[in-house]
């Protein structure tokens, strides 16, 4: 039987869980692709293609491919690391719930605001829990605090949020929430069930 000290040492030595999510900083691109996709569907239905000429569908598909090729440079992959439980709790207490959102009312805090704080969280040892993957490197987006002398500081996290589409921002919130709440709850339940089966 391992001692409490052994369990703490093993947990400290283990790497913290993390999840990656890729988004595009070109929200207009997703709207353009959506419009072209509708055009592609209509072109396939009309089937008005002349012998020897490019098909209507192939012309629209080429437009879609061109838009996607331009958008490749706008892709950003972010890596989020699970916060210590006590620090996650502190962040939730800083974010009052939106009374119009059922999940916020149920949890007692704003999920969106908490996840935004978690993305740029820095612990007392100077470790960051949100990064952008740049090749083989992890970089930390700049996020200066609001001060009297700097009322409109640089915040690259907020800049990125404003440049991406709604579904992509939602994917970031869902990823951070899953990492810090959903996944730990499911893991604990699975381990407890397994433990109970061993003693049954």
């Amino acid at each position: 039987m391992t001692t409490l000290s052994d369990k703490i040492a093993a947990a400290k030595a283990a790497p913290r869980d993390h999840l990656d999510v890729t988004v595009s900083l070109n929200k207009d691109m997703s709207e353009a692709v959506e419009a072209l996709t509708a055009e592609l569907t209509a072109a396939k239905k009309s089937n008005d293609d002349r012998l020897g000429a490019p098909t209507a569908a192939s012309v629209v598909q080429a437009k879609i491919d061109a838009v996607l090729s331009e958008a490749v440079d706008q892709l950003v992959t972010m890596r989020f690391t699970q916060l210590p439980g006590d620090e996650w709790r502190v962040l939730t207490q800083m974010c009052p719930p939106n009374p119009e959102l059922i999940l916020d009312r149920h949890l007692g805090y704003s999920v969106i605001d908490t996840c935004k704080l978690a993305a740029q969280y820095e612990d007392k040892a100077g470790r960051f829990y949100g990064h952008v993957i740049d090749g083989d490197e992890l970089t930390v987006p700049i996020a200066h605090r609001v001060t009297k002398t700097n009322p409109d500081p640089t915040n690259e996290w907020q800049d990125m949020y404003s440049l991406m589409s709604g579904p992509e921002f939602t994917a970031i919130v869902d990823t951070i929430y899953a990492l810090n709440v959903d996944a730990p709850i499911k893991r604990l339940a699975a381990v407890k069930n397994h433990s109970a089966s061993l003693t049954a």
Side-chain angles (χ1 to χ4, degrees), residues 154-172:
T154 298
N155 187 327
E156 291 181 336
W157 285 109
Q158 190 57 49
D159 289 343
M160 287 189 289
Y161 299 148
S162 67
L163 292 168
M164 63 185 68
S165 69
E168 287 165 314
F169 175 71
T170 299
I172 289 174

Side-chain angles (χ1 to χ4, degrees), residues 9 17 50 127-128 181 195:
D17 288 343
R50 289 163 180 77
R127 289 182 294 258
F128 288 90
V181 180
S195 176

